[in-house]
Amino acid sequence: MAIMINGAAVAPPEDARVSLLDLLRERLHLTGTKVGCNQGACGACTVLIDGERVLSCLTLAVQVDGREVTTIEGLGSESEPHPLQTAFIEHDGFQCGYCTPGQICAATAMLREIELGLPSYVTSDLTGNASISREEIRERMSGNLCRCGAHNGIVDAILQVARERVA
């Protein structure tokens, strides 16, 4: 079996101790995914596995054998950026940009969670559909830290893309 990374098949590493983060950065040279705390606390290494956000520093590469991994490189391109990438630029959703790839991957999955009606800790009506709000975005993105203080721009960017999807 193989790991599908951004649409390309990759053999899982022979060493079962290799993290997904190390496979991406050190062996495949996909350096968009960042090494932050390497302990699962900052979210800089967030990638998508079958559309769900996952911390690649806490995931062994062999665990994703047969699954689809999407990194920031797989979401958009320079000539055709993902709508969240465009919105982050428009709203100054990054300053140093170090956390940006993880933030955009997490936001991609977060928007999908809301579309599926999955509640968060702050969802007030658990019987209805989850709706987008600044409070929902802040709660759902709380696992991704920005040390530069671009949180307001990040929330604005996500809110814009969410509203465009509904319109």
Side-chain angles (χ1 to χ4, degrees):
M1 195 157 287
I3 303 168
M4 295 299 291
I5 299 178
N6 299 332
V10 174
E14 290 182 23
D15 184 348
R17 299 170 295 175
V18 173
S19 72
L20 178 59
L21 177 61
D22 288 343
L23 174 68
L24 295 171
R25 288 187 55 85
E26 295 177 13
R27 299 180 186 207
L28 301 176
H29 307 291
L30 294 169
T31 57
T33 304
K34 302 301 184 216
V35 180
C37 65
N38 218 14
Q39 299 177 354
C42 73
C45 67
T46 303
V47 298
L48 303 174
I49 297 178
D50 297 332
E52 296 181 7
R53 52 184 150 173
V54 172
L55 299 171
S56 62
C57 72
L58 298 182
T59 304
L60 295 174
V62 295
Q63 290 177 286
V64 297
D65 193 8
R67 301 177 74 184
E68 175 73 35
V69 177
T70 305
T71 68
I72 192 68
E73 292 94 341
L75 283 180
S77 66
E78 212 171 296
S79 62
E80 201 170 320
H82 185 279
L84 280 165
Q85 292 171 316
T86 302
F88 267 60
I89 292 168
E90 290 173 5
H91 292 278
D92 290 328
F94 59 93
Q95 291 181 9
C96 78
Y98 195 80
C99 70
T100 305
Q103 298 269 6
I104 291 175
C105 285
T108 300
M110 183 209 72
L111 291 174
R112 182 172 173 252
E113 292 166 9
I114 290 175
E115 289 171 357
L116 292 173
L118 301 175
S120 77
Y121 179 75
V122 298
T123 304
S124 58
D125 181 8
L126 298 179
T127 61
N129 290 331
S131 62
I132 193 76
S133 68
R134 297 186 79 78
E135 185 180 18
E136 279 283 349
I137 292 171
R138 289 186 191 283
E139 169 58 23
R140 291 174 190 262
M141 295 296 291
S142 63
N144 289 75
L145 304 177
C146 167
R147 290 174 177 83
C148 302
H151 289 282
N152 289 332
I154 291 168
V155 171
D156 290 344
I158 295 169
L159 198 54
Q160 175 189 314
V161 172
R163 288 179 176 155
E164 289 171 357
R165 285 182 175 201
V166 174

